[in-house]
Amino acid sequence: MSAHCQLTGAKPGFGNTISHSHRRTPRRFDPNVQRKRYWLPSEGRHVRLTLSAKAIKTVDAIGIEAAVMRIRARGGKV
């Protein structure tokens, strides 16, 4: 599963892990993405979205219909 949010567009960040001796090794900072299933009443079907934890809270606030409109406006497929 790709660590990418369909609603907010959150992607992994990259940086370094710094050890006690100050050696640097590459690492990834992945967003907290979850697969979540919502009922989409306008289309009469369920949709499965890959959303970050922040985006799940956004869907709870604005509703699934508005969230799907935002995803489609970004060029995403639902």
Side-chain angles (χ1 to χ4, degrees):
M1 175 172 79
S2 164
H4 181 265
C5 177
Q6 289 179 292
L7 182 60
T8 62
K11 291 185 255 186
F14 295 89
N16 290 307
T17 298
I18 301 178
S19 70
H20 181 70
S21 64
H22 218 65
R23 288 178 58 114
R24 291 176 165 94
T25 53
R27 64 157 293 178
R28 259 168 73 130
F29 294 92
D30 286 329
N32 182 10
V33 292
Q34 313 290 326
R35 298 262 299 162
K36 193 132 168 71
R37 189 170 170 243
Y38 290 99
W39 173 252
L40 194 57
S42 63
E43 297 181 16
R45 67 184 181 106
H46 285 95
V47 292
R48 190 175 297 276
L49 302 174
T50 304
L51 301 172
S52 63
K54 179 180 177 181
I56 291 171
K57 294 173 191 171
T58 302
V59 170
D60 290 344
I62 66 172
I64 186 63
E65 298 289 343
V68 167
M69 282 178 38
R70 285 188 191 181
I71 291 169
R72 288 182 173 148
R74 293 182 76 241
K77 185 181 171 195
V78 176

